[in-house]
Amino acid sequence: MYFLIAEMESQLPATSKPSNEEETCPKTPETYRKIISTLPREDGWKAHGDLCLYQNFWCYSYGIEGAMFAQDHYNAQPTDIFLCSFPKSGTTWLKALTFSVVTRTHFDNSTTPLLLKGPHNCLPLLEIDFCRKGIKPEPGSLPLVASHLPYASLPKSINDSGCKIVYICREPKDAFVSMWHYTRKLPHGVQEPMSLEEAFELFCKGVSDFGPYWDHVLGFWKASLERPEKILFLKYEDMMRETLLYVKRMAEFMGFPFSLEEENKGKVRSIVEFCSFENLSNLEINKSGKYAPHIPVENKTFFRKGKVGDWKNYLTREMAEHLDEITEQKLGRFDLSFDDV
Ligand code: PAP
């Protein structure tokens, strides 16, 4: 463990560590932007501009500004439940499932707000909505908040107040391929979308939105081992294989367990079917609606194939072996691995 952290730190440019200015500046949007303007940058993915290195993760500047704001101002409530993920790891699905579980006594499949809003519009994203739209957690409101922030960069109040966290991760080759497709669909202005090979190289170096992928996963994995009662670590592939089982486990963990009566009446199955890729991706709102976190994104961009192992259609054997080697090197010693998909 110490070797890995030391190794990561030695690879980081000195400026990525908090500067004196960062520690002493009064916190206003201008000072956040000033700090961001000094951060190390990489171009390449170009979905929302350059990626900047902040607190050892890469992110677009608007995400970093949101992270800084949330770290300074987010006042987590003990009842908040955080849905955390590396991008393209099953966030949309997790949002739909948890939203359905938590609101099931208010709505059924014919009345759920998921029919009128995409999953991303049904619950806030910490680093975007809280900062940009001023959404504040209120007593009695939906306890679900999503975030792509690494574990170490979550606002301190989340751990201090004992919130629960559900983390979903995905096999890295599939997460990479999904991210590459997603990024190509975003508006690029005059830029050409990046080739798969270029994106692959950056991803392997750890340079991707909220990357390095492996650090993100590892942060939550270790935390889930230390505090299993507070952090539930899920894998997309397991969820795909045994959705019913994991939805029940997740509901119980969140404090919204299904009763035997609900199970017998098919409530779990009905939520699972409603939130399936086939059903969600065919809802009109997800075919024609928009999500507008920073630049408008069509809801359909969040639904591509929803399959395990789609990387086989895009990566060469050498690329796959290379990514597998990095994964084994970074995660193997922590007993974290993925099914051979
Ligand atoms: P985000 O991080 O931008 O929110 P996220 O939802 O995590 O994206 O990932 C999108 C992936 O989840 C897509 O995978 P693909 O590119 O390999 O197809 C998307 O298709 C998949 N996905 C979306 N909804 C579902 C669902 N209901 N069931 C399974 N997979 C889904």
Side-chain angles (χ1 to χ4, degrees), residues 81-151:
I81 301 167
F82 280 80
L83 310 174
C84 298
S85 57
F86 182 78
K88 304 298 140 198
S89 299
T91 325
T92 312
W93 190 23
L94 184 66
K95 282 182 175 181
L97 284 169
T98 49
F99 181 85
S100 302
V101 165
V102 167
T103 63
R104 69 183 186 271
T105 52
H106 300 285
F107 308 113
D108 61 26
N109 289 353
S110 64
T111 57
T112 172
L114 284 162
L115 292 167
L116 302 174
K117 297 178 182 184
H120 288 284
N121 281 323
C122 280
L123 45 109
L125 184 64
L126 175 70
E127 54 275 18
I128 302 298
D129 297 313
F130 174 63
C131 169
R132 293 200 168 257
K133 300 180 192 160
I135 293 175
K136 292 198 177 81
E138 281 169 22
S141 66
L142 193 70
L144 304 171
V145 184
S147 177
H148 283 316
L149 290 180
Y151 182 70

Side-chain angles (χ1 to χ4, degrees), residues 85-96 120 148 168 170 174 177-179 181-182 185 236 240 275-278 280-281 301-307 310:
S85 57
F86 182 78
K88 304 298 140 198
S89 299
T91 325
T92 312
W93 190 23
L94 184 66
K95 282 182 175 181
H120 288 284
H148 283 316
I168 187 163
R170 189 177 190 187
D174 274 344
V177 167
S178 182
M179 183 175 271
H181 277 285
Y182 172 79
K185 286 182 196 146
Y236 180 91
M240 288 291 271
C275 296
S276 68
F277 180 86
E278 288 65 30
L280 281 187
S281 61
T301 320
F302 295 101
F303 301 92
R304 190 179 62 92
K305 283 192 186 168
K307 295 255 182 291
D310 186 47

Side-chain angles (χ1 to χ4, degrees), residues 154 254 321 326:
L154 287 173
M254 294 194 300
E321 282 175 2
I326 301 176

Side-chain angles (χ1 to χ4, degrees), residues 1 5 7 10 18 58 76 96 104 127 129 131 190 199 215 232-233 239 242 264 295 310 324 338:
M1 173 167 106
I5 292 168
E7 186 185 64
S10 67
W58 292 97
R104 69 183 186 271
E127 54 275 18
D129 297 313
C131 169
V190 292
D215 299 355
L232 179 67
F233 189 95
M239 297 267 298
E242 288 183 279
N264 291 340
I295 52 163
D310 186 47
D324 285 346
F338 297 91

